[in-house]
Amino acid sequence: MKKIMFALLLFNTSLVFAQPDTYQTLIKQLHVPEGFSLSVYADNLPGARSLTLADNGVVFVGTGQEGQVYAIQDTNADGKADKRHIIATKLMMPNGVAYQEGTLFVAEVNRITRYDHILEHLNNPPKPVVIYDQLPSDPHHGWKYLRFGPDGMLYTAVGAPCNICKPKEAIYTSLVRLNPDGSQFEIIAIGIRNTVGFDWQPGTKTLFFTDNGRDYLGDDAPADELNRWLTVGEHFGFPYFHAGDIADPIMTTDKKISDFTPPAWKFKAHVAPLGARFYRGDQFPPPYKNQLFVAQHGSWNRSKPDGYRIALVKFDHDLPIAEDVFIDGWLDKNDKVLGRPVDVLEMPDGSLLISDDQLGVIYQVKYTGKR
């Protein structure tokens, strides 16, 4: 018992993440393309969701209801994180994390905070500084994604506080941005039910974001979406139209489908696309360059589950043209859910990290060229 307690004590500061037999069994059930390998990079990260990369290979990990933010690091470059730090606890669904020039930014449901000089204080994190606290506190679709855009501004979104409704306040169903000091807050798009993932296309710097469609219109409708944002003020249809061509049966409007921006790509209904990253690295073969990896978290109320995979959305110039499965197997042949991917992060060596909030683990995908 003393050995166990000592091991647990070590785990709270600096530790080596083990790969139990259960993980090895799971890895064997996950399918990756030929030439790729998959391993567990870190475990014991309850509710691991959004990821952001800092200097020196430090990865910050946001969570949901767990209310914690972690920092992990592979200090000996052996493909397994050997240090973990708890940066914050008892937060309100701190899903969103972003890093810039020594500062960690965290998006909770109702506010955005920053942790200054964070890499110098991983063992003793500083108190957070609130940069913006005027976001709604509704927990329904309240979790937030957070990224820095090419313009140096912070981007996040405010989801619909419902399955289907027309909120009175303009802030809901919006994509927003603000300066890192909290100033110049701006709503740049509306009509977005729930986006928890976006990225800017290399070259064009165009913002593409995922959006989860409404529930209770059947197993196969409406399609979940990948949208392209171009101009301030765009309306993407919610709550009146879904997937670009489905009028909502209970929301009336005098507007036409053509009044709204249609999806750039349609995923299958209820697969729950979340984190999305364009691949900019050189480790993967050339066909993967500048293509979009999307974590499909998986359906929760479909009669036959779907999703639970990493999809690859293929682009031709500035538009998506096809969708392939990159990794699957988190949903087995008996429809048992083995894990739920949330976010994707490219590492400096060109490998990918994938978070799984059901198991509290982070996987690493590498290209080796070997079977």
Side-chain angles (χ1 to χ4, degrees), residues 81-94:
D82 50 71
K83 287 190 176 181
R84 183 192 78 158
H85 304 270
I86 297 178
I87 303 302
T89 62
K90 298 180 180 179
L91 301 183
M92 190 177 184
M93 292 197 286

Side-chain angles (χ1 to χ4, degrees), residues 47-68:
R49 288 180 62 86
S50 294
L51 307 172
T52 192
L53 179 65
D55 304 320
N56 303 321
V58 174
V59 175
F60 291 101
V61 185
T63 65
Q65 294 182 353
E66 294 74 15
Q68 300 199 125

Side-chain angles (χ1 to χ4, degrees), residues 45-115:
L45 299 167
R49 288 180 62 86
S50 294
L51 307 172
T52 192
L53 179 65
D55 304 320
N56 303 321
V58 174
V59 175
F60 291 101
V61 185
T63 65
Q65 294 182 353
E66 294 74 15
Q68 300 199 125
V69 176
Y70 308 101
I72 59 173
Q73 188 176 19
D74 174 14
T75 60
N76 59 4
D78 68 348
K80 300 177 185 177
D82 50 71
K83 287 190 176 181
R84 183 192 78 158
H85 304 270
I86 297 178
I87 303 302
T89 62
K90 298 180 180 179
L91 301 183
M92 190 177 184
M93 292 197 286
N95 180 88
V97 286
Y99 175 85
Q100 185 184 73
E101 297 178 352
T103 301
L104 171 67
F105 293 80
V106 176
E108 298 177 67
V109 170
N110 63 333
R111 66 178 189 170
I112 301 173
T113 58
R114 74 170 197 262
Y115 295 77

Side-chain angles (χ1 to χ4, degrees), residues 96-359:
V97 286
Y99 175 85
Q100 185 184 73
E101 297 178 352
T103 301
L104 171 67
F105 293 80
V106 176
E108 298 177 67
V109 170
N110 63 333
R111 66 178 189 170
I112 301 173
T113 58
R114 74 170 197 262
Y115 295 77
D116 296 328
H117 309 292
I118 186 63
L119 297 184
E120 302 166 23
H121 301 93
L122 293 176
N123 288 317
N124 185 25
K127 291 184 179 180
V129 177
V130 177
I131 68 164
Y132 195 83
D133 62 359
Q134 300 301 306
L135 298 171
S137 58
D138 307 76
H140 195 119
H141 296 153
W143 46 88
K144 303 205 164 28
Y145 201 63
L146 191 67
R147 293 283 302 276
F148 275 98
D151 55 5
M153 299 186 76
L154 276 169
Y155 285 69
T156 188
V158 180
C162 56
N163 171 43
I164 183 70
C165 63
K166 187 182 184 305
K168 294 180 180 179
E169 295 85 352
I171 187 63
Y172 291 106
T173 75
S174 68
L175 188 66
V176 305
R177 65 185 173 191
L178 67 164
N179 286 326
D181 63 1
S183 65
Q184 206 171 327
F185 183 89
E186 180 184 20
I187 295 174
I188 60 173
I190 58 175
I192 303 162
R193 181 175 178 269
N194 181 33
T195 179
V196 198
F198 45 79
D199 197 8
W200 287 261
Q201 185 183 30
T204 68
K205 296 183 179 180
T206 300
L207 177 61
F208 285 85
F209 64 91
T210 59
D211 193 9
N212 288 220
R214 71 156 292 182
D215 297 309
Y216 308 118
L217 287 186
D219 276 357
D220 300 313
D224 287 335
E225 302 174 11
L226 177 67
N227 290 289
R228 180 177 64 161
W229 174 74
L230 295 174
T231 59
V232 172
E234 279 186 276
H235 195 308
F236 289 86
F238 183 88
Y240 307 112
F241 293 95
H242 310 287
D245 56 7
I246 298 177
D248 193 275
I250 66 172
M251 301 299 298
T252 59
T253 180
D254 57 357
K255 296 183 180 295
K256 303 183 292 294
I257 289 177
S258 58
D259 293 328
F260 305 105
T261 303
W265 184 257
K266 297 181 185 181
F267 300 106
K268 294 178 68 175
H270 311 305
V271 297
L274 299 184
R277 300 270 179 163
F278 284 98
Y279 186 73
R280 296 167 169 83
D282 296 315
Q283 184 186 114
F284 291 7
Y288 291 94
K289 188 82 169 186
N290 298 332
Q291 306 303 301
L292 185 69
F293 288 96
V294 178
Q296 296 183 350
H297 196 227
S299 58
W300 64 272
N301 65 344
R302 201 174 185 276
S303 61
K304 182 173 177 56
D306 203 349
Y308 310 96
R309 65 174 70 93
I310 300 296
L312 179 67
V313 179
K314 296 182 176 181
F315 277 67
D316 182 14
H317 299 292
D318 60 346
L319 290 175
I321 59 170
E323 178 186 348
D324 288 343
V325 173
F326 182 64
I327 304 174
D328 66 0
W330 284 288
L331 182 69
D332 73 9
K333 61 182 179 181
N334 298 315
D335 288 342
K336 180 181 177 181
V337 176
L338 306 178
R340 303 191 76 185
V342 179
D343 200 11
V344 181
L345 176 68
E346 184 180 324
M347 296 296 281
D349 66 355
S351 64
L352 292 183
L353 298 187
I354 300 166
S355 61
D356 177 340
D357 65 349
Q358 175 166 301
L359 295 183

